[in-house]
Amino acid sequence: QVQLVESGGGLVQAGDSLRLSCAASGGTFNRYAIGWFRQAPGKEREFVVAINPGGVSRYYLDSVKGRFTISRDNARNTVALQMNDLKPEDTAVYYCAGDLRYSSYLGGTYAYWGQGTQVTVSS
């Protein structure tokens, strides 16, 4: 099974950029779909974007389209989430998750989760 560790969160101002990273170990990374989720205080978790083993992305949150970009480097066992033009409403804990099932990439559940990284955007 795969272990996932997120990094790259922080406190930024509106309009700034951040690049989150999800590092994987313990599994055959290039077989996993990877998703990024976020959860703001008092709100339900949102599915932001997913990327399949071949590097094709699928966005689930309209509010981030054109601002967030997901990518993966299978040689380095990492997935990145480049976040540009950040807004206060992007403030949340961001989680990456992995699963071998193609259904996960299509919006299903994920079996393996990281611990999350906090992103705070001030106005």
Side-chain angles (χ1 to χ4, degrees):
Q1 66 185 44
V2 68
Q3 291 82 46
L4 302 171
V5 178
E6 304 93 336
S7 61
L11 171 63
V12 297
Q13 293 186 332
D16 286 350
S17 297
L18 275 176
R19 186 176 179 88
L20 305 184
S21 182
C22 175
S25 62
T28 307
F29 179 72
N30 61 11
R31 296 176 56 197
Y32 282 80
I34 301 293
W36 281 99
F37 295 76
R38 71 185 187 185
Q39 188 165 20
K43 295 187 177 182
E44 292 189 355
R45 187 173 62 199
E46 297 179 303
F47 190 179
V48 179
V49 61
I51 190 165
N52 71 10
V56 179
S57 59
R58 189 179 180 101
Y59 290 83
Y60 290 91
L61 208 54
D62 287 342
S63 63
V64 308
K65 290 179 181 178
R67 299 190 298 122
F68 290 14
T69 303
I70 189 171
S71 61
R72 70 189 295 158
D73 185 339
N74 285 338
R76 298 188 177 188
N77 289 359
T78 58
V79 169
L81 183 65
Q82 178 67 41
M83 306 187 296
N84 298 328
D85 189 24
L86 283 161
K87 305 177 185 301
E89 51 265 39
D90 295 319
T91 295
V93 178
Y94 283 73
Y95 300 89
C96 69
D99 204 293
L100 290 169
R101 296 170 297 178
Y102 190 70
S103 59
S104 299
Y105 168 70
L106 296 178
T109 59
Y110 283 75
Y112 306 105
W113 291 80
Q115 83 289 349
T117 186
Q118 176 71 47
V119 172
T120 303
V121 185
S122 63
S123 58

